[in-house]
């Protein structure tokens, strides 16, 4: 779950992050928390990469208030959950105007924040698990867990953050299983890669998040680059050569 915390007070950001980490530990949830000290920096980041699952916003902040920020984001994204945390009750009606999921008053109650996070987690649609056949039996993985697959004759090797798995599936079979899933692209006749785990692309290779490098064929470069830009925005995709 990716969460953005935006508050111009460092102590408040640190407190929210602390509570989020405590909730994650108690619920076995992996969180990626990004802190922002003003609305402008969050908006800049969001315009580049909109894959946040929750925005936690203070309202009274510098030139761009949390309410104004929420309004600008809502014009382009009607679904992203927004939680306001503020010291002023007077903004509550405006919070409903931008479809905020909750409005919590400072000082922040850990219990109330946990309740909001619990409801949000229950609302999230669980990611579909796919079945893969290995020499040891059946392997269940969600698409986001998969980094890339490498063809090995009539079989293939599947790489994940947990390690690699020898599959009894050919690359042709994997293409049928994963090729239609959002985020997967074939960068080379021997490789099928998950765009979510790519950090950079050049005309000849991909750089994964763990700095592993995979080849990009000349015929596949255009499609891979366009998919990379579509997923991550021109700001990141500009790191091509």
């Amino acid at each position: 779950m990716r969460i953005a915390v935006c508050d111009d007070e460092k102590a408040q950001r640190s407190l929210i992050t602390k509570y989020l980490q405590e909730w994650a530990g108690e619920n076995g949830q992996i969180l990626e928390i990004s802190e922002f000290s003003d609305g402008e920096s969050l908006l800049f980041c969001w315009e580049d990469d909109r894959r946040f699952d929750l925005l936690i916003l203070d309202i009274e902040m510098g030139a761009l208030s949390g309410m104004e920020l929420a309004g600008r984001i809502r014009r382009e994204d009607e679904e992203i959950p927004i939680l306001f945390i503020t010291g002023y009750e007077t903004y509550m009606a405006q919070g409903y105007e931008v479809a905020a999921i909750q409005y919590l008053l400072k000082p922040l109650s850990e219990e109330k924040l946990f309740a909001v996070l619990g409801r949000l987690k229950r609302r999230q649609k669980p990611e579909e698990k796919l079945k893969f056949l290995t020499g040891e039996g059946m392997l269940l993985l969600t698409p986001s867990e998969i980094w890339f697959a490498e063809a090995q004759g009539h079989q293939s090797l599947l790489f994940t953050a947990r390690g690699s798995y020898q599959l009894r599936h050919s690359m042709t079979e994997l293409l049928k299983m994963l090729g239609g899933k959002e985020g997967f692209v074939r960068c080379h006749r021997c490789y099928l890669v998950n765009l979510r785990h790519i950090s950079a692309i050049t005309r000849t290779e991909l750089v994964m998040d763990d700095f592993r490098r995979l080849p990009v064929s000349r015929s596949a470069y255009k499609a891979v680059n366009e998919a990379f830009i579509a997923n991550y925005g021109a700001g990141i995709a500009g790191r091509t050569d």
Side-chain angles (χ1 to χ4, degrees), residues 101-113:
I101 61 170
Q102 189 76 36
Y103 186 106
L104 298 182
L105 290 173
K106 298 177 183 178
L108 179 61
S109 162
E110 183 179 32
E111 183 180 356
K112 289 182 179 179
L113 178 60

Side-chain angles (χ1 to χ4, degrees), residues 213-230:
R213 294 174 181 268
L214 303 181
V216 176
S217 66
R218 183 179 300 177
S219 60
Y221 171 74
K222 185 175 184 292
V224 174
N225 190 48
E226 288 177 352
F228 187 63
I229 291 172

Side-chain angles (χ1 to χ4, degrees), residues 28 31 43 46 54 68 82-84 91 95 101 107 122 125 128 145 157 172 191-192 198 201 209 211 217 222 233:
L31 298 186
L43 183 61
W46 179 81
L54 173 65
E68 292 170 327
I82 297 174
L83 166 63
F84 286 120
Y91 292 108
I101 61 170
R122 290 191 292 273
K125 183 180 179 181
E128 172 193 10
E145 292 180 277
L157 197 59
T172 300
Y191 291 94
L192 180 66
I198 298 173
I201 177 175
D209 287 338
F211 303 107
S217 66
K222 185 175 184 292

Side-chain angles (χ1 to χ4, degrees), residues 29-219:
Q29 180 80 44
I30 298 174
L31 298 186
E32 180 182 331
I33 305 168
S34 301
E35 293 187 16
F36 300 90
S37 60
D38 56 69
E40 291 87 350
S41 58
L42 172 53
L43 183 61
F44 181 81
C45 177
W46 179 81
E47 288 176 340
D48 236 7
D49 182 358
R50 304 186 179 189
R51 296 174 302 138
F52 285 104
D53 299 297
L54 173 65
L55 304 181
I56 300 179
L57 309 179
D58 184 23
I59 291 182
E60 296 246 329
M61 295 187 298
L64 182 63
S65 73
M67 197 64 68
E68 292 170 327
L69 171 63
R72 290 171 68 166
I73 289 175
R74 269 287 174 261
R75 286 197 288 270
E76 299 185 48
D77 189 332
E78 297 179 355
E79 302 297 327
I80 187 169
I82 297 174
L83 166 63
F84 286 120
I85 297 178
T86 183
Y88 302 93
E89 293 185 18
T90 52
Y91 292 108
M92 192 172 293
Q94 291 176 265
Y96 295 130
E97 290 176 10
V98 293
I101 61 170
Q102 189 76 36
Y103 186 106
L104 298 182
L105 290 173
K106 298 177 183 178
L108 179 61
S109 162
E110 183 179 32
E111 183 180 356
K112 289 182 179 179
L113 178 60
F114 281 18
V116 173
L117 294 170
R119 288 196 297 273
L120 182 62
K121 183 180 179 181
R122 290 191 292 273
R123 278 174 45 189
Q124 286 187 318
K125 183 180 179 181
E127 196 174 7
E128 172 193 10
K129 285 196 173 184
L130 303 177
K131 298 178 182 179
F132 300 94
L133 187 61
T134 73
E136 288 72 40
M138 194 70 70
L139 173 68
L140 296 177
L141 291 171
T142 60
S144 62
E145 292 180 277
I146 299 167
W147 286 50
F148 66 93
E150 178 183 354
Q152 294 191 334
H154 295 296
Q155 297 190 350
S156 56
L157 197 59
L158 196 67
F159 291 82
T160 75
R162 288 186 275 167
S164 58
Y165 301 91
Q166 186 73 51
L167 303 184
R168 290 186 173 180
H169 304 283
S170 67
M171 179 57 74
T172 300
E173 291 173 325
L174 284 184
L175 282 169
K176 291 180 181 179
M177 298 171 70
L178 296 172
K181 302 291 181 183
E182 183 180 357
F184 285 89
V185 63
R186 197 171 187 178
C187 64
H188 184 275
R189 64 183 179 84
C190 293
Y191 291 94
L192 180 66
V193 65
N194 189 339
L195 289 164
R196 284 174 278 198
H197 298 297
I198 298 173
S199 62
I201 177 175
T202 75
R203 290 189 174 275
T204 59
E205 64 181 8
L206 301 176
V207 182
M208 307 300 290
D209 287 338
D210 63 354
F211 303 107
R212 197 190 317 248
R213 294 174 181 268
L214 303 181
V216 176
S217 66
R218 183 179 300 177
S219 60

